[in-house]
Amino acid sequence: MKSRTWPSILAYTSARILIFGCSVILLNAAGARGILLLFLGLVVSMIASYILLNKQRAIIAERLNGRLSKAGSKVSELRGRLDEGTKAEDAGDAEEETVQAN
């Protein structure tokens, strides 16, 4: 089954933006204004996102780690094939040198 990472990332990002928007609205209603409003909104939304979106963040991290491990295994396989080819070329070159020396 193919994992769907991008929709999860989009949902997580949308939830973070929504939490930030709600934080700004609530802080504005509480009387914060200007740069203080944005700074407090960022701090409050970071804390709320860390608590409320922990499970979703763990799911995304797991999916991304799975994708990275698959890519890593493909790179290892390619590296092995390249090493085998290099060894075969080196063995062929050594045989040619032996033939030319005689």
Side-chain angles (χ1 to χ4, degrees):
M1 183 168 97
K2 189 175 179 182
S3 68
R4 303 283 182 196
T5 306
W6 284 110
S8 298
I9 292 172
L10 182 63
Y12 175 76
T13 304
S14 299
R16 295 249 352 222
I17 292 169
L18 183 64
I19 290 172
F20 174 72
C22 291
S23 300
V24 167
I25 290 170
L26 290 174
L27 289 168
N28 189 25
R33 299 285 185 264
I35 204 84
L36 179 64
L37 173 65
L38 293 177
F39 177 74
L40 288 176
L42 283 173
V43 171
V44 169
S45 68
M46 283 190 307
I47 293 169
S49 295
Y50 184 76
I51 294 168
L52 297 174
L53 301 176
N54 190 30
K55 184 177 179 180
Q56 192 172 12
R57 185 173 46 254
I59 291 169
I60 292 171
E62 181 181 320
R63 288 182 180 174
L64 289 175
N65 284 334
R67 289 180 75 180
L68 289 175
S69 67
K70 287 179 186 176
S73 66
K74 288 181 182 179
V75 168
S76 297
E77 178 185 333
L78 178 62
R79 227 179 244 146
R81 289 174 44 198
L82 287 173
D83 288 342
E84 289 175 11
T86 302
K87 289 177 186 176
E89 283 182 14
D90 291 345
D93 290 343
E95 288 178 12
E96 287 178 16
E97 289 175 5
T98 306
V99 170
Q100 289 176 356
N102 291 330

